[in-house]
Amino acid sequence: MKDRLKNISRKQWIKAAVWGVLYVLFLVWHGNWWWLLLLPLIVDAFTTKFIPWTWWKRYKPAGKDEPENPKANKILYTICSWIDAIVFALVAVYFINLYLFQNYQIPSSSLEKSLRVGDFLFVSKASYGARVPNTPFSFPLVQHTFPQVLGGGKSYIDKPQWKYRRLKGWDRPTKGDIVVFNFPAGDTVCLKQQNPDYYTLCHYYGKSVVENRKDIFGEVVWRPVDRRENYVKRCVGEPGDTLQIINNQLYVNGELLEDKPGVQYNYYVQTTGGVLSNSTLDKLGVSKDDRRLVSATTQIGLQELSSLGLDPTLPVYHFPLTQEMKTALEKNPHVSKVMIEPEWRGGDVYPLGKTTWTRDNYGPLYIPRKGDKIVLTEENYPLYSRVINAYEHQTAQIGEEYEFGMDYYWMMGDNRHNSADSRYWGFVPEDHIVGRPVFIWLSIEKDKPWFKGHIRWNRLFHSAER
């Protein structure tokens, strides 16, 4: 022991001290002091080395001008070097992805034009405080399922399951924030049909059909909170707020919440006779996927146009527009009418089958705050029963008083008529909050070729907090 201590250099002691201090600071943030038991292992790795962490280095072949190593084994040394590097990288990525930040790609148009399909985001988990994982044994950079090239299957082990705990952050989600969160209705999933969600499928087809027709819907699986799909929406309601939507306009606590510049709605656009050119729609900012020309040659198309009072003999488009885009179209001499999409096209909203509210006229709805107490009634029980049963794992009956154990949020997309958001599946519990998008590090325009705008250079490293 004394000989080992004598042979430790000052450089080794400094490395051990630096890593030890960083580790202790992490434990202060994490709040789990049992992990202090690992501190001697960190010190040993840099100093005494009682544990042979790098035993394989004894097989290193001699380099130029070095004495020959009788134990040299080039193959063993090379394999172990690669394994060491890969294991270190995986551990580092695991902890960085878990506690600091992660990459997120915008998969759908629910936040157009604020965040675009093809944007890659740097998401800070520390901003709102990183969550201690529910499923600690999982493969880094994979949400819940391995890619098919790796055989598919779950990328995590179900047990142990840790209770929800969030480390200290420096902020909390507030109105206007764009937030990444785990999809609350993603606890139960039909593997062959994941959009719409399981509960919506059960509402339209019946639970027995969804669970028994595996040829159509696939296996039904359950996922823990941190393994559910990641969604990104804008927070429009905080704990303690009362939210209402009147003719597509958001009111929070009785005050109008102004639309962000990127908010858009679906419109019908009637032309004076000709079709709108691709260049006109490109300049306007309507993506190719959104360009729908309503056909009056089909019975459905004819009924749709006639019910809206539009002329089925003239071309009619149906696509999302921001207020700026709508104003520009109304000035186009080839456009005769711009009409917002009616609310009946929005379908059923939360709580499914138990409300007369619509996508465009919703509420008023109170958003629960931790510690709030409410008496459950016939009217409000459908709104809060999922909160009580699925998120807080409690039971409560109509007529009883219930105290909420978590804060809840209301999330909506800026592409208001093309967003599966809280209007369809309800509240977002605080334990589902993942983090805050900070900036866009890459942006891809799939409608354009590589050297003609495929990369949106003007969006790179721009703030995602819009």
Side-chain angles (χ1 to χ4, degrees), residues 286-329:
V286 180
S287 70
K288 290 182 180 179
D289 287 344
D290 288 334
R291 299 173 192 179
R292 179 188 171 218
L293 187 59
V294 183
S295 174
T297 60
T298 66
Q299 185 64 28
I300 294 177
L302 184 60
Q303 290 176 348
E304 183 178 358
L305 296 176
S306 300
S307 67
L308 296 169
L310 297 169
D311 187 347
T313 65
L314 298 174
V316 178
Y317 288 87
H318 179 236
F319 43 58
L321 300 168
T322 64
Q323 183 59 45
E324 184 181 3
M325 294 162 69
K326 176 177 177 287
T327 301
L329 261 184

Side-chain angles (χ1 to χ4, degrees), residues 8 16 49 81 86 174 244 270 292 300 329 372 435:
I8 299 172
K49 299 183 180 180
S81 296
I86 291 170
T174 55
Q244 187 171 13
Q270 176 111 61
R292 179 188 171 218
I300 294 177
L329 261 184
D372 280 346

Side-chain angles (χ1 to χ4, degrees), residues 4 48-63 66-78 80-81 84:
R4 284 179 182 264
T48 51
K49 299 183 180 180
F50 282 109
I51 299 175
W53 303 98
T54 56
W55 59 268
W56 48 272
K57 289 186 177 181
R58 71 185 66 167
Y59 299 103
K60 179 181 179 181
E66 290 182 352
E68 185 176 344
N69 181 5
K71 295 183 179 181
N73 187 323
K74 185 176 182 181
I75 294 176
L76 178 62
Y77 178 79
T78 302
C80 290
S81 296
D84 180 74

